[in-house]
Amino acid sequence: PAGGGHQFLRALVGELRRRGLDVESNRISGGTAACLFNSFNFDFARLRRFARDDCRLVHRVDGPIGAYRGFDDGTDRRIAEINREVAPATILQSRFSLEKHLELGYELRDPVVIPNAVDPAIFHPPEEREALEGRKVRVVASSWSVNPRKGADTFAWLDRHLDRDRYELTYLGQPP
């Protein structure tokens, strides 16, 4: 149970390790070929100290933070400055995030969208599958954040309007 950015990074590290890559945390060693650094919540001065020309720096950016929080405290500008200064490449989790940054005038360097995906260790096809014919459609949604901008109004609407004869909705997370 952690925020979406944390879960994204955990899943990405898991997938990289499944593919046989070595993954270090919070360091750039002599053999590090690439370093993925997260948004703005890291020691930027330390990153600049240890960065090398032969280690590709990739910036994971989400938000924009101001759109998520509902106010602009300068964090998005700081993220864009860090991105411009040290990152030849950027990873975002959604098209929305990329487009919203552009709409607000924040150009990120060589952006690529890598959307969230399920963890195959948890979500995988069963050995036997019950027939789909006549079965309700199962929808699973999750959110750890209690921020109302994360869709609580949508879940409330679904709770009032969902056709329970056709759909089964499971929500995993914190209220509301």
Side-chain angles (χ1 to χ4, degrees):
H6 177 79
Q7 294 299 107
F8 173 84
L9 291 170
R10 279 178 57 181
L12 182 61
V13 165
E15 181 61 25
L16 294 173
R17 286 185 171 143
R18 275 189 290 281
R19 292 180 182 207
L21 296 169
D22 291 328
V23 178
E24 301 171 318
S25 293
N26 299 316
R27 61 178 279 175
I28 298 176
S29 68
T32 303
C35 173
L36 176 66
F37 59 98
N38 188 37
S39 193
F40 66 97
N41 44 0
F42 65 95
D43 185 342
F44 182 56
R46 184 171 183 237
L47 174 69
R48 286 201 337 233
R49 255 193 335 271
F50 289 100
R52 305 184 321 269
D53 289 340
D54 64 338
C55 176
R56 183 173 172 87
L57 298 178
V58 180
H59 194 183
R60 181 216 164 254
V61 174
D62 66 359
I65 304 297
Y68 169 75
R69 292 180 179 163
F71 60 90
D72 179 8
D73 66 354
T75 301
D76 291 311
R77 181 182 38 74
R78 182 170 165 238
I79 291 169
E81 289 169 1
I82 291 169
N83 186 269
R84 193 171 38 257
E85 184 177 333
V86 298
T90 309
I91 292 174
L92 298 104
Q93 287 175 242
S94 70
R95 243 4 265 149
F96 169 84
S97 183
L98 174 57
E99 290 168 3
K100 193 68 171 175
H101 277 91
L102 294 173
E103 177 185 315
L104 294 172
Y106 299 117
E107 292 193 30
L108 303 171
R109 299 199 43 206
D110 199 14
V112 174
V113 173
I114 300 178
N116 288 329
V118 299
D119 183 342
I122 299 169
F123 298 98
H124 50 82
E127 291 188 25
E128 289 186 29
R129 192 182 298 257
E130 77 180 81
L132 295 176
E133 190 66 36
R135 192 184 87 189
K136 293 180 185 179
V137 174
R138 294 178 183 152
V139 178
V140 178
S142 68
S143 178
W144 191 247
S145 174
V146 295
N147 186 323
R149 296 177 188 275
K150 289 291 196 168
D153 56 340
T154 301
F155 292 120
W157 184 92
L158 283 169
D159 191 43
R160 290 188 308 273
H161 295 94
L162 192 70
D163 180 348
R164 292 179 190 340
D165 293 329
R166 294 181 59 204
Y167 301 97
E168 176 184 308
L169 174 64
T170 303
Y171 175 78
L172 306 164
Q174 298 192 90

